[in-house]
């Protein structure tokens, strides 16, 4: 009897431990035995297209508008420019998976935390080819999991129309940034919402017909 | 050999383009300034449509936005984009009112910066920027327009703007086109259309 109690205690303790530092998991998703090696995010992949969005940023209660412009320059590099409505540049970055160049940044914005946060968001948003580590599936979506150092990215692709709906950037245990996409076709996102879970930062992008 | 011919041809063409833009003589400058200053002194109100072209060298097409602006002396200003999105900025009673697609915010405009922006916008449309201490100005004449080229004097402005070109159609004392050139060479070009000077503008035009 005592043995059983101890065993039960041990098991519940172990379970409690497990749940208290529960790894980040997607509800109702099961692993799919599908040997997919790569996920392609097509939303910023066409080098012929000028991607232009009206941007609205809210950061700790302050809001800021502007125009977000992105272009794929070659296989690995994207150019990203953020301007005010009047056209003056606030920032101008060139980035790839492992390179980063600031062509211009307004002095007031040139803070390490701002630059690094935007660099990481844009890098993930714009990168086209992602090596897949695991494929999961729930009722609505096929989920492609990729690893990026100590972080993980989950691409939620609609099972209905094969469109990328959501991208979650997570640490081992928590969601860090959620990218939501609305698209009329799978090659172009009409609306993008980037919500940070740890800092009060939200970036909303609405495509402008240019 | 072919390349050489091409280069020579290109040079000739570019010389041709330059030749179309000539520096004004001192007396021409004096005349031109007098006309513009006289015209802008008489401006009590101003209404115009505009098209803005944002040129970035790496894009295949300029980004086009358009809207309208209204100004009433001494300091009411509404600059409003209507296409492809709604965004307006109103300068009124030392305050700046922004309406960004329904998101409204207000900024205190007592700061020097907003004073400068207001002056730059009104000056750009009316053309009265000649007594500005911030810029060096040179004057050119082309076939159908006079061009005032402003280069900033202070290091603060030089960081943002390399040159501002104001185009005045011959026989008109106000600006038809503004080109703001950034240090990188990328630029914003704003073309004014359907300009009305001293038409009646209701104060309600300055709310957003």
């Amino acid at each position: 009897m005592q043995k059983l109690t101890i065993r039960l205690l041990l098991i519940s303790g172990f379970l409690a431990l497990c749940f208290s530092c529960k790894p980040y998991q997607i509800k109702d998703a099961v692993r799919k035995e599908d040997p997919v090696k790569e996920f392609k995010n097509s939303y910023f992949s066409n080098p012929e297209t000028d991607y232009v969005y009206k941007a609205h940023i809210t950061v700790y209660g302050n809001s800021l508008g502007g125009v977000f412009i992105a272009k794929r320059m070659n296989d690995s590099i994207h150019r990203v420019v953020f301007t005010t409505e009047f056209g003056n540049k606030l920032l101008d970055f060139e980035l790839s998976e492992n390179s980063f160049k600031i062509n211009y940044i307004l002095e007031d914005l040139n803070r390490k935390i701002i630059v690094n946060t935007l660099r990481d968001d844009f890098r993930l948003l714009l990168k086209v080819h992602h090596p897949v580590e695991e494929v999961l599936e729930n009722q609505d979506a096929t989920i492609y999991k990729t690893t990026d150092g100590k972080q993980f990215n989950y691409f939620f692709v609609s099972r209905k129309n094969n469109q990328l709906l959501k991208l979650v950037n997570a640490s081992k245990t928590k969601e860090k940034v959620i990218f939501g996409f609305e698209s009329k076709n799978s090659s172009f996102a009409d609306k993008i919402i980037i919500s940070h879970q740890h800092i009060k930062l939200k970036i909303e992008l609405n495509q402008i017909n240019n | 050999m072919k390349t050489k011919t091409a280069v020579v041809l290109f040079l000739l063409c570019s010389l041709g383009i330059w030749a179309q833009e000539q520096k004004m003589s001192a007396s021409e400058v004096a005349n031109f300034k007098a006309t513009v200053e006289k015209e802008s002194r008489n401006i009590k109100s101003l209404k115009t449509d505009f098209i803005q072209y944002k040129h970035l060298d790496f894009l295949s097409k300029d980004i086009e936005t358009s809207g309208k602006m209204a100004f009433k002396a001494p300091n009411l200003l509404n600059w409003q984009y209507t296409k492809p999105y709604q965004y307006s900025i109103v300068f009124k009673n030392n305050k700046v009112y922004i309406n960004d697609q329904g998101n409204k915010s207000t900024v205190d405009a007592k700061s020097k910066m907003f004073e400068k922006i207001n002056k730059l916008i009104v000056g750009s449309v009316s053309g009265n920027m000649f007594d500005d201490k911030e810029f060096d100005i040179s004057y050119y004449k082309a076939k159908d327009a006079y061009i005032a080229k402003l280069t900033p004097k202070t290091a603060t402005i030089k960081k943002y703007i390399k040159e501002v070109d104001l185009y005045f159609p011959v026989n008109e004392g106000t600006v038809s086109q503004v080109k703001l050139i950034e240090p990188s060479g990328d630029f914003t070009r704003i073309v004014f259309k359907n300009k009305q000077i001293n038409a009646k503008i209701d104060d309600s035009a300055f709310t957003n």
Side-chain angles (χ1 to χ4, degrees):
Chain A
M1 187 62 201
Q2 205 184 6
K3 248 187 189 171
L4 187 70
T5 322
I6 289 170
R7 196 179 287 168
L8 271 173
L9 269 173
L10 273 175
I11 290 173
S12 54
F14 179 69
L15 280 176
L17 258 178
C18 279
F19 283 112
S20 60
C21 61
K22 193 180 80 169
Y24 173 64
Q25 259 177 355
I26 299 152
K27 216 181 151 194
D28 302 329
V30 291
R31 196 178 171 149
K32 206 177 154 192
E33 296 301 330
D34 194 358
V36 179
K37 287 213 172 68
E38 186 190 271
F39 173 73
K40 187 185 174 194
N41 179 359
S42 303
Y43 288 154
F44 291 94
S45 65
N46 188 349
E48 306 290 315
T49 307
D50 298 337
Y51 296 96
V52 184
Y53 290 82
K54 174 77 178 76
H56 195 86
I57 299 177
T58 23
V59 52
Y60 290 97
N62 298 305
S63 60
L64 169 77
V67 179
F68 171 90
I69 303 140
K71 179 121 178 162
R72 191 176 186 193
M73 306 304 288
N74 57 39
D75 280 351
S76 57
I77 291 175
H78 276 89
R79 182 97 174 246
V80 186
V81 171
F82 192 73
T83 73
T84 65
E85 286 78 5
F86 294 94
N88 38 315
K89 265 185 217 161
L90 298 172
L91 58 86
D92 179 349
F93 293 168
E94 258 178 65
L95 44 83
S96 74
E97 191 175 357
N98 35 33
S99 71
F100 179 61
K101 189 178 155 203
I102 300 177
N103 291 323
Y104 177 80
I105 186 155
L106 191 77
E107 241 172 43
D108 292 340
L109 291 176
N110 200 0
R111 307 273 179 279
K112 208 173 166 187
I113 178 154
I114 300 177
V115 173
N116 289 354
T117 306
L118 294 176
R119 176 199 64 198
D120 295 347
D121 282 359
F122 294 158
R123 199 173 251 165
L124 188 52
L125 177 70
L126 301 171
K127 190 183 166 187
V128 181
H129 300 286
H130 301 263
V132 170
E133 191 180 277
E134 196 180 344
V135 184
L136 304 153
E137 201 170 53
N138 65 18
Q139 206 178 357
D140 311 312
T142 308
I143 303 137
Y144 299 91
K145 182 184 175 187
T146 70
T147 309
D148 187 1
K150 282 184 182 166
Q151 295 182 25
F152 305 95
N153 300 314
Y154 298 85
F155 295 85
F156 290 69
V157 176
S158 162
R159 288 175 69 178
K160 203 165 64 190
N161 54 20
N162 218 24
Q163 284 176 11
L164 175 63
L165 304 170
K166 192 165 81 164
L167 160 56
V168 175
N169 169 253
S171 68
K172 245 181 180 162
T173 53
K174 280 189 186 108
E175 289 180 338
K176 288 179 76 182
V177 192
I178 301 175
F179 298 71
F181 303 95
E182 281 175 27
S183 168
K184 289 192 193 81
N185 60 58
S186 51
S187 65
F188 201 97
D190 302 290
K191 184 177 182 162
I192 302 168
I193 296 175
I194 307 172
S195 341
H196 281 255
Q197 308 298 300
H198 290 193
I199 49 174
K200 286 186 179 153
L201 169 64
K202 188 170 153 188
I203 303 172
E204 195 176 318
L205 306 173
N206 285 292
Q207 189 246 329
I208 298 170
N209 283 316
N210 196 39
Chain B
M1 190 57 207
K2 256 188 186 166
T3 344
K4 244 187 190 169
T5 322
V7 168
V8 169
L9 270 176
F10 174 75
L11 280 175
L12 280 175
C13 288
S14 18
L15 280 175
I17 289 162
W18 289 118
Q20 284 176 3
E21 235 176 59
Q22 280 174 350
K23 236 186 161 153
M24 283 193 215
S25 70
S27 63
E28 283 172 322
V29 171
N31 268 338
F32 169 71
K33 276 170 77 168
T35 316
V36 174
E37 274 162 13
K38 190 181 152 211
E39 188 99 10
S40 66
R41 257 202 306 276
N42 291 329
I43 295 178
K44 301 281 178 288
S45 79
L46 202 153
K47 242 170 38 172
T48 181
D49 298 336
F50 67 84
I51 306 174
Q52 176 179 305
Y53 301 91
K54 178 68 199 174
H55 175 87
L56 295 166
D57 263 341
F58 70 92
L59 291 183
S60 46
K61 219 170 96 189
D62 291 352
I63 300 166
E64 202 179 309
T65 45
S66 59
K68 52 191 177 181
M69 82 86 95
F71 165 73
K72 201 168 173 179
N75 52 16
L76 285 173
L77 176 70
N78 183 359
W79 185 274
Q80 182 180 14
Y81 294 88
T82 51
K83 263 187 200 164
Y85 51 77
Q86 299 281 339
Y87 177 94
S88 65
I89 178 163
V90 169
F91 292 77
K92 188 166 67 178
N93 309 329
N94 289 323
K95 281 209 160 74
V96 182
Y97 300 86
I98 298 167
N99 186 341
D100 184 358
Q101 297 177 300
N103 290 305
K104 293 186 182 186
S105 53
T106 313
V107 186
D108 219 342
K110 277 179 188 144
S111 73
K112 275 248 154 61
M113 189 187 149
F114 279 110
E115 216 174 274
K116 276 185 189 168
I117 292 175
N118 198 341
K119 203 175 158 195
L120 184 77
I121 295 177
V122 176
S124 298
V125 185
S126 67
N128 190 12
M129 293 181 79
F130 303 134
D131 61 346
D132 207 304
K133 289 167 193 74
E134 313 272 0
F135 297 98
D136 280 318
I137 308 171
S138 48
Y139 300 89
Y140 297 83
K141 55 183 177 185
K143 209 170 115 207
D144 44 15
Y146 298 114
I147 307 157
K149 297 189 177 186
L150 293 78
T151 44
K153 284 180 188 170
T154 58
T156 335
I157 303 184
K158 270 185 189 155
K159 270 189 255 172
Y160 313 107
I161 301 171
K162 187 163 88 181
E163 187 179 299
V164 182
D165 295 353
L166 302 175
Y167 291 75
F168 298 77
V170 176
N171 306 325
E172 254 185 65
T174 57
V175 177
S176 66
Q177 198 185 121
V178 188
K179 193 170 165 187
L180 289 124
I181 308 166
E182 295 167 16
S184 67
D186 289 334
F187 60 82
T188 309
R189 190 165 64 92
I190 301 173
V191 179
F192 300 107
K193 274 180 184 165
N194 310 322
K195 196 187 298 172
Q196 294 176 47
I197 291 165
N198 296 337
K200 195 177 177 311
I201 307 177
D202 207 71
D203 277 0
S204 65
F206 303 96
T207 43
N208 61 351

